[in-house]
Amino acid sequence: MMIAADILVALMAALHVYILVLEMFLWTTGRARRAFGTTPEFAAQTRTLAANQGLYNGFLAAGLVWGLIASDPTGFAAKVFFLGCVAVAGGYGALTASRRILFVQTVPALVTLVAVLLAR
């Protein structure tokens, strides 16, 4: 069960690295605009804000990777903490930006958190 939980944590980290890339480096491209439902004008106007959001997603990914490589109890605590952060951030995003975030970020984070807790 621990291996499956760690695979899920790694996938969550990879998702947040992908979001980092979209928000920090590809924000004005067609791919990012489709992913976030923005117009070229809005993307151009919000490029700096998106890069800031991308940086935060990078911190989430870094925390999850830290949880994977650190020995317990630190690794376990880092996974639980950062998965909780992902779930809260996703919940807030779902309430304020797009309901889709609930299914892309929050639900996977909660499923992964349950897997990590059960694997303990």
Side-chain angles (χ1 to χ4, degrees):
M1 183 70 177
M2 181 64 79
I3 292 172
D6 282 349
I7 288 170
L8 291 174
V9 172
L11 289 172
M12 289 301 300
L15 171 65
H16 285 277
V17 168
Y18 178 67
I19 294 170
L20 172 147
V21 170
L22 284 176
E23 292 177 339
M24 291 190 80
F25 306 111
L26 302 177
W27 185 249
T28 58
T29 67
R31 174 183 285 240
R33 288 195 326 269
R34 282 188 303 278
F36 295 101
T38 61
T39 64
E41 297 79 19
F42 180 82
Q45 292 170 347
T46 59
R47 185 178 202 149
T48 302
L49 292 172
N52 189 322
Q53 288 178 184
L55 185 62
Y56 286 101
N57 278 289
F59 291 141
L60 293 172
L64 292 170
V65 170
W66 175 38
L68 288 170
I69 62 175
S71 58
D72 286 336
T74 302
F76 174 76
K79 290 178 215 173
V80 169
F81 176 78
F82 283 98
L83 287 168
C85 289
V86 170
V88 169
Y92 184 77
L95 288 172
T96 61
S98 169
R99 211 174 103 185
R100 189 173 138 222
I101 296 170
L102 183 71
F103 303 103
V104 173
Q105 188 172 345
T106 308
V107 170
L110 292 174
V111 167
T112 303
L113 179 58
V114 168
V116 167
L117 293 171
L118 290 175
R120 181 101 160 135

